[in-house]
């Protein structure tokens, strides 16, 4: 609550208490008793607990992603004192992984946890709020959403779909993916069936690969059977959990396609507007807390998981060649220009992202990037 409103409300409350004290020897009239009873009944009705469903794109209790949705729900339950309780459903329990957006939009579930680039068929700008190739890191994405106008643009994009979006997690910089052969040139991408969602799928298509869209739960089997030749999932933490190292050995970086991949909580706008203001604040605060928690978890777990993949499971870690990265960047620019060419909102969102990234880069070069480079220099032989 705004401090001024709080002070005003407090003053009114004290004044009411004082007036009540002056007449405490008088018995209330029957009409007063009736009014008091009505107020009590109304208060009890208002305090009745709300029970919401949250559907997710992730397998039930999946590390980092599914467990993040669970923690978000637990935060809301605890902070609201049980006034708003949220039940989390994994992919396929109430709706398929790809049905989260429509389920929340229609109101068959009040909330969903996913990532925006799965909904690119709804609007061309949807992927921009997950990530863009060679775009914002997780820290920059948070800065853009909170201080660069990103949240306002996100709400404008989702308004026609009757949805309220909130950031609720980020996996950080991802890996370029798992491949069943070495990639030494752009030609090596040709003909490969690669699980790669979002704008990056169109980029690799232009370079001769065959992008495949599928939920994460199908990736392992598809690599095992040869239905896929390569796959971008997330990063070491989640990729280890899926056991992808058992069927593919070449693991490529950097994650050009997902430099900082944001997760979202989407809320049916009618349900959101029905919440009292304090519960809206609680939901926002829970999402903000989980947004940071998931990023912290991936930062810690990815380091351990990468060590296991390489040292214990014999994974071959490879860097994409410079000429491949340049081809990916050039093609990404062309794809995005086509996406925004016919849509004014898409162009405004993209230009806002690029402006924030370009403004951030000079500082990052003398701050985090310079520090990381210097740390590598002084510690590599230690």
């Amino acid at each position: 609550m705004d401090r001024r409103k709080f002070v005003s409300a407090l003053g009114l409350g004290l004044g009411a208490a004082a007036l009540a004290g002056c007449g405490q020897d008088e018995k209330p009239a029957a009409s007063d008793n009736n009014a008091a009873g009505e107020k009590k009944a109304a208060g009890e009705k208002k305090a009745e607990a709300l029970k919401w469903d949250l559907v997710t794109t992730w397998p039930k209790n999946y590390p980092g992603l599914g467990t993040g949705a669970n923690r978000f729900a637990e935060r809301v339950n605890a902070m609201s004192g049980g006034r708003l309780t949220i039940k989390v459903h994994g992919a396929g329990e109430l709706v398929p992984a790809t049905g989260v957006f429509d389920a929340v939009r229609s109101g068959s579930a009040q909330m969903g946890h996913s990532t925006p680039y799965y909904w690119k068929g709804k609007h061309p700008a949807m992927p921009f709020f997950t990530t863009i190739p060679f775009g914002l890191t997780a820290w920059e994405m948070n800065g853009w959403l909170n201080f660069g106008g990103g949240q306002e643009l996100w709400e404008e994009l989702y308004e026609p779909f009757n949805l309220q979006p909130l950031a609720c997690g980020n996996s950080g910089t991802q890996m370029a993916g798992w491949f069943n052969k070495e990639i030494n040139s752009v030609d090596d991408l040709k003909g490969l069936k690669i699980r790669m969602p979002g704008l990056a799928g169109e980029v690799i298509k232009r370079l001769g690969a065959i992008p495949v869209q599928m939920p994460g739960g199908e990736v392992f089997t598809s690599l095992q059977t040869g239905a896929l030749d390569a796959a971008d999932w997330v990063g070491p933490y989640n990729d280890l959990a899926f056991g992808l190292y058992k069927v593919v050995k070449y693991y490529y970086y950097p994650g050009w396609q997902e430099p900082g991949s944001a997760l979202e909580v989407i809320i049916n706008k009618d349900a959101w507007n029905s919440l009292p203001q304090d519960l809206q604040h609680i939901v926002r605060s829970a999402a903000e807390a989980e947004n940071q928690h998931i990023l912290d978890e991936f930062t810690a777990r990815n380091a351990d998981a990468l060590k296991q993949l390489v040292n214990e499971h014999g994974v071959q870690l490879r860097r994409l060649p410079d000429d491949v990265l340049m081809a990916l960047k050039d093609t990404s620019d062309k794809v995005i220009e086509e996406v925004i060419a016919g849509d004014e909102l898409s162009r405004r969102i993209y230009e806002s992202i690029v402006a924030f990234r370009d403004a951030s880069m000079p500082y990052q070069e003398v701050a985090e990037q310079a520090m990381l480079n210097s740390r590598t220099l002084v510690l590599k032989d230690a």
Side-chain angles (χ1 to χ4, degrees), residues 62 65 171 173-175 195 232-236 238-239 251 298:
Y62 188 66
L65 307 176
S171 62
T173 302
Q174 298 194 3
M175 299 290 285
R195 187 268 180 193
D232 153 37
W233 178 225
V234 180
N238 282 162
D239 296 359
Y251 200 25
F298 273 94

Side-chain angles (χ1 to χ4, degrees), residues 27-44:
K27 292 183 179 180
S31 60
D32 292 336
N33 284 331
N34 291 338
E38 290 173 0
K39 287 182 179 179
K40 182 179 179 182
E44 289 174 350

Side-chain angles (χ1 to χ4, degrees), residues 75-143:
R75 291 180 195 276
V76 173
N77 297 347
M79 289 193 290
S80 69
R83 291 169 56 209
L84 174 57
T85 60
I86 298 171
K87 183 176 181 180
V88 178
H89 303 271
E93 291 186 349
L94 284 185
V95 297
T98 55
V100 168
F101 188 95
D102 287 334
V104 180
R105 178 185 183 183
S106 68
S108 59
Q110 291 85 6
M111 308 180 89
H113 191 250
S114 187
T115 189
Y117 66 14
Y118 287 151
W119 324 129
K120 70 175 185 176
K122 306 295 183 182
H123 191 284
M126 290 287 180
F128 296 166
F129 287 93
T130 299
T131 187
I132 62 171
F134 303 97
L136 303 177
T137 65
W139 299 105
E140 290 169 332
M141 173 64 84
N142 288 338

